[in-house]
Amino acid sequence: MPFSSTAWALSLALSYAALVGLCLGMERHCIQVLGRGRPAAWRRGLRIFGWVALAASFFYAGRAWGWAVGPVAWCGQLSLLALLLAFLLPYRPRSACLAALPALAAAWAACLY
Amino acid sequence: MKQGFRHAMSWLHTWGSLWFSWVLFAIFLTGTLGVFDDAISHWMREPGRAPLVQSPDAAARQQAAAVAQARLQALAPGAEFWGVGLPNAEEPALRLSWRQDPKSTFQRRLVDPRSGEELPPGQRRESEGGHHFVHLHFEFHAGAPGMWLAGIATVAMLVALVSGIAVHKKIFADFFTFRPGRGQRSWLDAHNALGVLTLPFLFMIAYTGLTVFWSFYMPAAVLARFDDEAAYFSRLTERPAPRPLQQRPAPLGPLTQRVGEAEAALARDASFISVRHPGDASAVVQVFGRFDGEAAAGRLVGRSSGRMEFDGVSGEQRDLQLPDTTRGSLVLAVQQTMNALHFVRFGGDAVKWLYFLCGLAGSAMIAAGLCLFVVKRRRRQSEGRPGPVSPALIDALNAAAVAGLMLACLAYFWGNRLLPLALEQRSAWEIRIFFLVWALALAHALVRRGAAWREQLWAVAVLGLGLPLLNAASTGDHLLAALARGDGQSAAVEAVVLLWAVAAAVAARRLGRPERAARPLPALAGEGG
């Protein structure tokens, strides 16, 4: 199966956005990033978005690498992106989370193009 | 009951890990470098100066096979095994190897593929290259005892992973938590985050690392049912059974013809010839096809590169496996998948980088655990509760195991560029330099104690930042020149060394500052204990 770099870019961006969603869905990090808490429903919405984006990133990893290599690569990229987020949060909490948006937009644009 | 269990697990995690962490850090870091062993070898063999060689054509390979046969006949007539690495674009020399009997070690020679003359020393930069790191990774250059050490350390790693999960109170609540600048808390956060977030990788790499050598660690099952391993593996891989030595002299047929026939049947360039029992009536010749990385990239169960097997005397075909086919049962497929997972034989460079970064994270997790141990014992000591071991001693050993190893790796690269080309046993000297510097780092750490980390990290920074200069001075090659000729491997090796040196310098500078009082950060909600 030929490797598709645009599908992988989309998978990476979705993975990161999913992690940001799951992270902001936790009260502790919600306060850390936004300065104050948010209603429980708001956070649940973020968590649902996170899980859906996670599933989508898995799908695009399979599309990018084929279904033998895709799941392995997906595990690796998820670990590394989660580390990136965890170690950026204390220093640049807002930028770390906001970065998910341009990443998603760029990857989506690359796929359309 | 639950508290007792967690306490026991905590004890196991702390003390079980400590003694193996120094070994495990070495296994992890060298394994991480080993992901790119080819790129490191490429840099070490001085690509900037090597003339561009054309890939040899079929006629050149057949001629090389004839030259190899004549040379091996002269060098090792009664050997048990001959191996012939045919020249290719990356390695224009003909690589001969042989083994007198199954118990003796392999002998190796590099010869000119046309004249058969041995290549005189001093013409090339003899080096083990990146394979040095791979050998250290699984056997510490010590053969079977080294493999046992690596195996036991790996089991200790699996124990540490499981006990670490049992000890960790809030895996999911602390998933993204890292609180810097708070002493012991920060080291614990870093150790946890690095360990928890890369857990799938850590489990996979430790477990597959053990299963790769299952027949070495657990030989009983095979030996109980088969005469020897070779008989078992020929059955497992569905190949003709090995032929026992007949002690009846019979001349070996021409290897040139075997190469020609195999290349025609496989429709692929031949890369390697093996001869078992040359000169005996039981001789068997195998010709292997060239490995095609691109065809393998999308798969976990590796496919054959193609292999043709002949009766060595008559030249009769015994077996033919075409390229891109698989053989063997599900058992073999599972084993191959485990091996492919461990050796990153799939996915190309992108997945190699994922492994490299995950490997660095695992190394950092071990190093953070070692620092945490010392920070915690220091605090207890200052509270008047000294433990059974001196934190200062452990700290010195940590410095030698972490910073000292990095220093040794860089010294290995420096040795590669500094040792005279004509030196006897040049590649062995490079490795001796590696171990010598590591031993010196240990001695330095034991003498300097508190200053060991800082001084060794500065040394890493100096050696790392100096390496491109040394390379430019000794070979005239440098990062920009490598980029200009499209040599991404060499460029990446130098770029990573530079980044590493900068990171070491930053760490050394921070250690140099007087320790700041732990400052309170904006509080995180939901934080307890």
Side-chain angles (χ1 to χ4, degrees), chain B residues 62-394:
Chain B
Q62 292 186 23
Q63 189 196 357
V67 167
Q69 186 168 6
R71 282 301 293 166
L72 283 166
Q73 193 63 51
L75 284 164
E80 182 255 345
F81 176 88
W82 289 352
V84 179
L86 293 170
N88 56 42
E90 180 81 4
E91 173 55 271
L94 181 60
R95 288 153 292 143
L96 305 181
S97 57
W98 67 91
R99 187 167 71 167
Q100 213 55 40
D101 56 77
K103 291 212 166 53
S104 56
T105 53
F106 278 100
Q107 305 288 312
R108 292 170 209 286
R109 290 281 188 288
L110 287 171
V111 302
D112 184 296
R114 277 179 295 274
S115 67
E117 277 168 38
E118 248 170 74
L119 295 177
Q123 291 212 330
R124 35 188 289 135
R125 208 169 273 277
E126 293 286 339
S127 174
E128 273 290 305
H131 295 293
H132 159 60
F133 297 115
V134 176
H135 278 276
L136 193 85
H137 171 67
F138 77 87
E139 56 155 24
F140 295 92
H141 288 288
M147 282 174 73
W148 278 111
L149 177 63
I152 293 166
T154 310
V155 172
M157 163 114 197
L158 288 169
V159 170
L161 290 178
V162 175
S163 58
I165 295 167
V167 174
H168 198 339
K169 289 181 198 139
K170 301 178 296 184
I171 287 192
F172 291 106
D174 280 350
F175 210 71
F176 297 106
T177 302
F178 174 59
R179 290 157 288 192
R182 301 220 267 157
Q184 185 182 331
R185 177 93 251 171
S186 306
W187 286 111
L188 180 62
D189 277 348
H191 181 65
N192 284 346
L194 287 162
V196 168
L197 295 176
T198 57
L199 201 59
F201 172 79
L202 297 175
F203 256 118
M204 178 278 289
I205 210 74
Y207 184 75
T208 55
L210 278 179
T211 57
V212 161
F213 292 118
W214 68 269
S215 69
F216 174 80
Y217 292 129
M218 302 182 294
V222 170
L223 294 181
R225 286 162 175 272
F226 292 85
D227 295 337
D228 55 16
E229 275 198 349
Y232 167 74
F233 280 108
S234 65
R235 176 89 80 83
L236 179 72
T237 54
E238 294 176 5
R239 292 178 185 183
R243 297 205 293 202
L245 195 64
Q246 291 187 14
Q247 307 285 14
R248 229 161 18 93
L252 186 69
L255 292 181
T256 311
Q257 278 188 26
R258 302 294 96 79
V259 169
E261 289 160 18
E263 289 197 342
L266 299 173
R268 198 179 268 214
D269 295 357
S271 67
F272 192 82
I273 312 168
S274 81
V275 185
R276 208 159 275 282
H277 304 159
D280 189 70
S282 63
V284 169
V285 174
Q286 292 189 75
V287 180
F288 295 86
R290 187 178 43 77
F291 174 71
D292 180 359
E294 275 187 23
R299 305 176 57 90
L300 285 177
V301 179
R303 291 181 296 187
S304 169
S305 301
R307 185 187 61 87
M308 195 168 180
E309 189 171 323
F310 304 90
D311 183 299
V313 180
S314 69
E316 208 174 296
Q317 176 184 331
R318 272 171 48 98
D319 189 25
L320 171 67
Q321 181 171 11
L322 291 175
D324 298 330
T325 58
T326 55
R327 272 193 199 175
S329 63
L330 197 59
V331 176
L332 187 64
V334 170
Q335 280 181 27
Q336 284 186 337
T337 305
M338 297 272 193
N339 292 0
L341 279 174
H342 195 86
F343 298 129
V344 216
R345 277 199 202 123
F346 61 93
D349 281 344
V351 174
K352 282 196 171 159
W353 280 105
L354 289 180
Y355 267 64
F356 183 78
L357 294 172
C358 282
L360 285 185
S363 311
M365 179 272 291
I366 297 170
L370 284 169
C371 292
L372 174 62
F373 181 93
V374 169
V375 169
K376 200 166 170 178
R377 259 81 211 154
R378 280 230 173 95
R379 202 200 62 202
R380 284 198 190 159
Q381 202 177 34
S382 67
E383 289 167 358
R385 291 188 293 151
V389 290
S390 145
L393 175 65
I394 300 289

Side-chain angles (χ1 to χ4, degrees), chain A residues 1 3 8 12 19-20 22-23 26-29 31-32 65-66 68-69 72-80 82-83 85-87 89-91, chain B residues 170 172-178 180 190 193-194 197-200 297-300 341 346-347 350-351 353-355 357-358 361 524-527:
Chain A
M1 190 161 183
F3 169 67
W8 190 36
L12 282 171
L19 290 164
V20 169
L22 292 171
C23 176
M26 296 162 82
E27 191 175 16
R28 174 193 292 185
H29 296 294
I31 294 170
Q32 180 186 18
W65 298 95
V69 174
V72 184
W74 182 78
C75 283
Q77 74 189 36
L78 209 55
S79 285
L80 293 171
L83 276 178
L85 178 59
F87 283 100
L89 269 181
Y91 301 102
Chain B
K170 301 178 296 184
F172 291 106
D174 280 350
F175 210 71
F176 297 106
T177 302
F178 174 59
L194 287 162
L197 295 176
T198 57
L199 201 59
R299 305 176 57 90
L300 285 177
L341 279 174
F346 61 93
V351 174
W353 280 105
L354 289 180
Y355 267 64
L357 294 172
C358 282
L524 295 184
E527 191 187 305

